[in-house]
Amino acid sequence: MENWQEISNLDQYDTPLFVVYEDRIKQNIEMAIGLLSGEVSRFRPHIKTHKMGEVLELFAAYGIYKIKCATIAEAELAALNGMTDVMIAYQPVGFKIHRLMNLISGFPDCSFSCLVDNLETAEAIAAVAKDLGLGEEIKVYLDLNTGMNRTGFPVAENVVEFVNNLRKIDGLKFMGLHIYDGHIHDPDPAVRAARAKPAMDKVLADADELIKQGCTALKIVAGGSNTFTYYAGIERLECSPGTFVFWDENYNRLIPELNFKPAAVLVCTVISLPAPGLLCVDLGYKSVSSENPIEKRVVFPWNDDLSPIGHSEEHLTLKHIGPREYKVGDRIYGLPYHVCPSCALYEEAQVVNNHQIEKSWRIKARDKKISI
């Protein structure tokens, strides 16, 4: 395997490290835009994967100024770094509604929107805005449940009627429809497309009817990385993948037709050789996402003689089969299986150019709060 990951000045850094490769990030952004035939206007990348202002600056360099996010902190980071159209792909409930209003007031040059999936919450959002004297309509998208059963108004029900009732709520501005179908992750892209198509046909038909009824500027924001290939071919849609920016081993296996480059690496150090055929590294589950079984947390493609067998807070025990000899102090490069939550475990990313760590980027929106 090509040793693109090697870092010449690694001896100047402690581990575990979260490392990103700037040239590969740029290549992934360019590839994503290419899948949309260069139509940046249809691209609304999710920032949950990276949570970094510097990556948003890279987006802006490619003309990308609208994004999707999940938290108030991510939305604030976007506004702080030049994004002008920020969709919070989350329904604000309780005190989070007040935080949203503070965000809207604090960044008047940025257009914020959020999701709703029931009229009661929509009315609560409008009521808070009115009580605070916000003086502007709150932009909302209807979140649709297309089978993931996590959030959303059921797509099979009367979406048009719901939207018409939503549009009657004073103080809200209906922007369009949103779907996320993370339950569709078959390796065959044709199967993924076939599973996504029935719900999308219904979404498009409902959108057509709503446009006839006066929603002339209606937008449809759809999917993540798993259905990006399919939705990129539907010109009416804004696509919102997130993982593409760093890519990871999970999607590398699940979505073989996408050729995004791994752009994030975990670096760890051998700290002990506790028994024959075993070694231990400092990559505990505080340093790599561990929601999956142990064999699906981190892979070591440059050390295929190693396999994880034990994991705890600060330690990862690896079984070693083969002639290669390891010693305490050796550095080992791994690829996270799920990069998004792995990234969020680190305060900063070390940035590599030309095989050297040149700088660091703060993973600022890993915090629950920046200022709002």
Side-chain angles (χ1 to χ4, degrees):
M1 185 173 182
E2 179 190 358
N3 291 326
W4 57 265
Q5 88 294 351
E6 289 188 346
I7 302 169
S8 61
N9 59 342
L10 194 55
D11 59 348
Q12 301 173 28
Y13 294 86
D14 193 9
T15 59
L17 280 180
F18 184 79
V19 179
V20 300
Y21 296 74
E22 191 168 3
D23 60 337
R24 287 179 161 247
I25 295 171
K26 291 176 181 177
Q27 291 173 46
N28 287 343
I29 295 171
E30 291 167 3
M31 185 176 297
I33 294 172
L35 288 168
L36 293 167
S37 302
E39 296 179 77
V40 175
S41 62
R42 291 186 53 216
F43 197 27
R44 185 185 288 273
H46 204 310
I47 71 170
K48 68 183 179 69
T49 299
H50 60 84
K51 300 175 183 285
M52 302 180 204
E54 290 85 353
V55 175
L56 292 171
E57 291 173 4
L58 290 181
F59 285 172
Y62 287 92
I64 301 165
Y65 291 98
K66 60 184 176 185
I67 59 92
K68 179 172 157 181
C69 64
T71 71
I72 298 295
E74 289 172 358
E76 183 176 356
L77 182 74
L80 287 167
N81 287 274
M83 299 296 103
T84 58
D85 182 344
V86 177
M87 167 193 273
I88 303 172
Y90 210 92
Q91 178 168 248
V93 175
F95 189 72
K96 200 180 298 291
I97 299 174
H98 291 266
R99 293 185 70 195
L100 172 61
M101 300 309 152
N102 290 336
L103 194 65
I104 293 170
S105 298
F107 296 92
D109 295 331
C110 186
S111 174
F112 295 98
S113 57
C114 68
L115 303 185
V116 296
D117 68 7
N118 67 88
L119 295 176
E120 292 77 11
T121 300
E123 289 168 348
I125 293 169
V128 171
K130 183 178 180 181
D131 289 345
L132 294 175
L134 201 61
E136 64 178 279
E137 292 182 313
I138 307 303
K139 301 179 179 69
V140 298
Y141 286 77
L142 174 59
D143 187 24
L144 293 173
N145 178 7
T146 62
M148 191 173 183
N149 296 329
R150 184 173 70 178
T151 63
F153 182 82
V155 70
E157 295 187 11
N158 195 331
V159 172
V160 173
E161 179 182 55
F162 183 95
V163 170
N164 284 333
N165 288 327
L166 182 63
R167 293 173 67 197
K168 294 175 184 176
I169 299 175
D170 186 43
L172 300 185
K173 182 177 182 180
F174 173 68
M175 299 295 293
L177 306 172
H178 170 270
I179 69 168
Y180 177 68
D181 42 17
H183 60 293
I184 300 176
H185 45 68
D186 307 83
D188 186 339
V191 173
R192 264 180 276 131
R195 291 185 63 192
K197 187 177 186 301
M200 180 49 61
D201 286 347
K202 173 66 161 50
V203 171
L204 294 173
D206 287 338
D208 286 340
E209 180 59 32
L210 288 167
I211 290 169
K212 289 179 184 177
Q213 296 186 21
C215 300
T216 54
L218 181 146
K219 299 178 181 179
I220 305 173
V221 180
S225 297
N226 54 316
T227 44
F228 186 29
T229 308
Y230 173 55
Y231 292 142
I234 303 175
E235 293 186 358
R236 297 174 61 180
L237 306 185
E238 288 185 3
C239 296
S240 54
T243 308
F244 77 95
V245 71
F246 293 153
W247 213 226
D248 61 20
E249 186 64 18
N250 179 39
Y251 275 139
N252 189 47
R253 298 182 187 187
L254 287 178
I255 315 178
E257 81 275 9
L258 291 179
N259 293 313
F260 293 117
K261 294 180 178 294
V265 165
L266 299 169
V267 185
C268 55
T269 300
V270 178
I271 60 169
S272 181
L273 303 173
L278 295 180
L279 56 91
C280 183
V281 297
D282 56 350
L283 195 71
Y285 48 69
K286 290 180 178 177
S287 302
V288 60
S289 175
S290 302
E291 78 272 27
N292 290 315
I294 193 168
E295 69 275 9
K296 292 184 177 181
R297 296 179 185 178
V298 58
V299 297
F300 301 100
W302 299 279
N303 301 78
D304 56 7
D305 55 348
L306 300 178
S307 56
I309 60 168
H311 209 187
S312 53
E313 292 185 43
E314 310 292 350
H315 304 80
L316 175 63
T317 305
L318 304 172
K319 185 177 181 180
H320 169 220
I321 299 176
R324 186 186 313 194
E325 294 185 2
Y326 291 89
K327 62 183 183 300
V328 172
D330 284 348
R331 301 298 182 94
I332 298 176
Y333 300 87
L335 295 177
Y337 196 85
H338 191 182
V339 71
C340 311
S342 295
C343 176
L345 294 170
Y346 292 81
E347 293 181 352
E348 61 182 16
Q350 308 305 318
V351 184
V352 172
N353 283 299
N354 299 315
H355 294 283
Q356 283 199 330
I357 295 176
E358 291 186 344
K359 53 193 172 184
S360 64
W361 291 344
R362 176 84 186 279
I363 306 170
K364 197 168 186 178
R366 72 190 285 269
D367 297 339
K368 301 299 183 186
K369 178 180 178 180
I370 298 177
S371 72
I372 292 174

